[in-house]
Amino acid sequence: MEEPLNIALLCHPTVGGSGILATELGHRLADRGHEIYVISERPPFRLREDRPRIHFCESNLVEFPLFKSPDHTLPLATRIAEVCTNNQIDLIHAHYAIPHTAAAWIAKELIGQAAPPIITTLHGTDIIYLGAMAEYRPLLQHVLEASNLVTCVSENLKKRTEQLFNLDAEIEVVPNFFEPKPPTRSREDIRASLDVGDGVLAIHASNLRSIKRIDLMLDAFKEAVSRCDANLLIMAGAEASRIQPEIKKRSLENHVRIVDDVYEIDNYYAASDFTLYTSEYESFCLGILEGMRHGLPSIAFEVGGIPEVVVNEESGILVPFGDIEALGVAIVRLAGDGDCRKEMGASARARAEKEFSAGVIVDSYMGAYRRVLASESSM
Ligand code: GMT
């Protein structure tokens, strides 16, 4: 049995890979006996507060007539310091650098000598989008350098971070993990609720931000459905209304289903046949991994860290970014070839289990925590 730690976990509560990953990591660490203090402005999407050793610590927004918009970062820093002091926190694990690493750094200044070390996990847009902005870059350089350890979810994100920032210490790569839950509804039931009959079903789960390039996904799907019988399920967080006009513009209403605000995602993966992603950048793409664990091959653009997750022509089909024609061909190919889906799906599942299981990845984070704590205590 590992010596239990008190860990403060910082993450965004909104639908997004970084919050999901941080939350699942919290659950797994709590299962191993550690006390997990999740600090966020509201309970993160998918957080199970009823589980033992999970403590949700709300950080308030402050509204004041002089502020044009509510302040989040400074109250968060104050809250982190308070949670650390009241609960003898051993380490702070900040997921997504902005504002979490900056807030943790301020908290550390507040606490002084007794402050716990900070581990920052970079997830993607915190570096390649926000990190590149002049408004954040010097501050990020400072607080990343002040972190006791920085981890990235892929080699690609590590490389992008090294190109933007000058960090003395080596960045560690700790990929994402996902453990499926057994479906609670049958494949037939879900497909009947979606009214997709026996047709082939592609699935896309994301927050639909512009970086996901839903426009390109719909263009390729439009191309494909003129040549094959396929449906597309979009799991949309709460953002569905944003893409309805795009679907209508392409006359895809009969081929695209949207489901939002769903927590039982496993039911939908288990009822689908392959995943479809068209992002212009993904540091990793947790949605692809979720599908892989359910035995789904994927079709995606070959961008960012996706080639580290999907082995082209083995666990899915990757095409160059923006090549709608190649994407359409890939959709038609997987839609029409059940054997290929089965073979690639089996390989995807095996790869996900071997490389990206909770057991492997939580061990990696634990190893990182222990190394940081050991080096702190030797100082
Ligand atoms: O874009 C998202 O889906 C949300 C975003 C986030 O920061 O919450 O996801 C990022 O982190 C995920 C978990 O590490 C990665 O799997 C996603 O690839 C990454 N998104 C981008 O890099 C665009």
Side-chain angles (χ1 to χ4, degrees), residues 15-19 21 96 122-126 128 153 176 206-207 209 211-212 279 281-287:
V15 178
S18 59
L21 197 276
Y96 206 93
L122 302 174
H123 281 274
T125 42
D126 45 355
I128 61 127
V153 299
N176 288 172
S206 82
N207 48 26
R209 281 182 311 183
I211 202 167
K212 304 291 170 183
S279 307
Y281 182 80
E282 286 289 343
S283 63
F284 185 96
C285 199
L286 192 55

Side-chain angles (χ1 to χ4, degrees), residues 91 132 168 227 257 315 354:
L91 63 92
D168 276 348
R227 288 181 280 143
R257 307 284 185 276
S315 42
K354 180 162 180 269

